[in-house]
Amino acid sequence: MENNDYYEPTIKTSRVDEITKEQALKLLDTITKDRNNLKNEKQQLISFLKSEIATKNEILDKKQKYDNNYYIICGERSECHRILDFVNKGGKDE
Protein backbone atom coordinates (compact mmCIF):
# COMPACT_ATOMS: atom_id res chain seq x y z
CA MET A 1 0.00 0.00 0.00
CA GLU A 2 1.21 3.48 -0.82
CA ASN A 3 2.22 5.87 1.99
CA ASN A 4 -0.08 8.95 1.97
CA ASP A 5 1.48 10.79 4.93
CA TYR A 6 2.53 13.63 2.64
CA TYR A 7 -1.06 14.40 1.63
CA GLU A 8 -2.72 13.82 4.97
CA PRO A 9 -2.12 17.34 6.47
CA THR A 10 -3.56 18.90 3.32
CA ILE A 11 -6.64 16.76 3.54
CA LYS A 12 -7.12 17.53 7.22
CA THR A 13 -6.76 21.30 6.81
CA SER A 14 -9.03 21.43 3.79
CA ARG A 15 -11.96 19.87 5.62
CA VAL A 16 -14.55 22.29 6.91
CA ASP A 17 -16.70 21.42 9.87
CA GLU A 18 -20.32 21.66 8.99
CA ILE A 19 -22.51 23.76 11.23
CA THR A 20 -26.25 23.88 11.28
CA LYS A 21 -28.26 26.87 10.19
CA GLU A 22 -29.27 27.40 13.83
CA GLN A 23 -25.63 27.46 14.93
CA ALA A 24 -24.74 29.92 12.17
CA LEU A 25 -27.63 32.22 13.11
CA LYS A 26 -26.70 32.02 16.78
CA LEU A 27 -23.08 32.90 15.94
CA LEU A 28 -24.21 35.78 13.73
CA ASP A 29 -26.46 37.05 16.54
CA THR A 30 -23.55 36.92 19.01
CA ILE A 31 -21.27 38.78 16.60
CA THR A 32 -23.94 41.43 15.99
CA LYS A 33 -24.49 41.93 19.73
CA ASP A 34 -20.73 42.23 20.33
CA ARG A 35 -20.40 44.77 17.51
CA ASN A 36 -23.28 46.82 18.91
CA ASN A 37 -21.75 46.69 22.39
CA LEU A 38 -18.45 47.97 20.99
CA LYS A 39 -20.25 50.81 19.19
CA ASN A 40 -22.01 51.75 22.44
CA GLU A 41 -18.76 51.62 24.40
CA LYS A 42 -17.03 53.77 21.78
CA GLN A 43 -19.81 56.35 22.00
CA GLN A 44 -19.58 56.33 25.81
CA LEU A 45 -15.83 56.89 25.58
CA ILE A 46 -16.33 59.78 23.15
CA SER A 47 -18.94 61.35 25.43
CA PHE A 48 -16.68 60.93 28.45
CA LEU A 49 -13.72 62.54 26.68
CA LYS A 50 -15.82 65.47 25.45
CA SER A 51 -17.13 65.98 28.97
CA GLU A 52 -13.61 65.87 30.42
CA ILE A 53 -12.40 68.41 27.86
CA ALA A 54 -15.31 70.72 28.65
CA THR A 55 -14.62 70.40 32.38
CA LYS A 56 -10.93 71.15 31.86
CA ASN A 57 -11.85 74.21 29.78
CA GLU A 58 -14.11 75.51 32.56
CA ILE A 59 -11.34 75.05 35.13
CA LEU A 60 -8.79 76.76 32.88
CA ASP A 61 -11.11 79.75 32.42
CA LYS A 62 -11.01 80.30 36.20
CA LYS A 63 -7.26 79.71 36.71
CA GLN A 64 -4.40 82.11 36.24
CA LYS A 65 -1.64 81.15 33.81
CA TYR A 66 1.05 81.41 36.45
CA ASP A 67 -0.70 78.73 38.56
CA ASN A 68 1.17 75.38 38.34
CA ASN A 69 -2.11 73.47 38.07
CA TYR A 70 -2.94 75.48 34.94
CA TYR A 71 -0.23 73.68 32.96
CA ILE A 72 -1.11 70.29 34.42
CA ILE A 73 -4.74 70.76 33.38
CA CYS A 74 -3.63 71.95 29.92
CA GLY A 75 -1.66 68.72 29.55
CA GLU A 76 -4.59 66.61 30.68
CA ARG A 77 -6.87 68.41 28.23
CA SER A 78 -4.36 67.88 25.41
CA GLU A 79 -4.18 64.19 26.23
CA CYS A 80 -7.98 63.92 26.17
CA HIS A 81 -7.98 65.63 22.75
CA ARG A 82 -5.33 63.21 21.50
CA ILE A 83 -7.31 60.16 22.63
CA LEU A 84 -10.54 61.58 21.23
CA ASP A 85 -8.91 62.16 17.84
CA PHE A 86 -7.55 58.60 17.89
CA VAL A 87 -10.99 57.13 18.68
CA ASN A 88 -12.71 59.29 16.06
CA LYS A 89 -10.24 58.06 13.43
CA GLY A 90 -11.22 54.49 14.18
CA GLY A 91 -8.12 53.71 16.19
CA LYS A 92 -5.68 54.56 13.43
CA ASP A 93 -2.64 56.76 13.78
CA GLU A 94 -1.79 59.08 10.95
Side-chain angles (χ1 to χ4, degrees):
M1 185 172 238
E2 188 175 300
N3 186 351
N4 287 331
D5 289 342
Y6 177 78
Y7 297 101
E8 189 60 28
T10 306
I11 294 169
K12 284 182 180 177
T13 58
S14 66
R15 292 184 187 138
V16 177
D17 292 335
E18 291 184 23
I19 61 172
T20 65
K21 184 177 179 180
E22 283 180 16
Q23 289 171 324
L25 290 173
K26 187 176 180 180
L27 182 60
L28 180 61
D29 185 49
T30 301
I31 291 168
T32 303
K33 285 179 184 176
D34 288 347
R35 188 188 74 210
N36 289 337
N37 286 341
L38 287 172
K39 284 182 181 179
N40 290 339
E41 289 173 5
K42 178 182 176 181
Q43 191 54 49
Q44 289 174 346
L45 176 59
I46 289 170
S47 296
F48 171 78
L49 290 167
K50 286 181 177 180
S51 174
E52 282 294 303
I53 290 167
T55 301
K56 305 281 183 215
N57 285 336
E58 288 176 14
I59 293 170
L60 290 173
D61 287 343
K62 296 174 186 171
K63 293 244 178 229
Q64 299 294 323
K65 286 189 178 184
Y66 59 83
D67 186 344
N68 287 339
N69 289 332
Y70 180 88
Y71 297 104
I72 293 170
I73 294 168
C74 283
E76 291 170 351
R77 181 185 61 182
S78 295
E79 192 64 17
C80 288
H81 273 295
R82 189 183 69 74
I83 295 168
L84 182 60
D85 289 344
F86 181 78
V87 171
N88 282 330
K89 291 177 188 171
K92 298 176 185 169
D93 285 328
E94 290 183 310

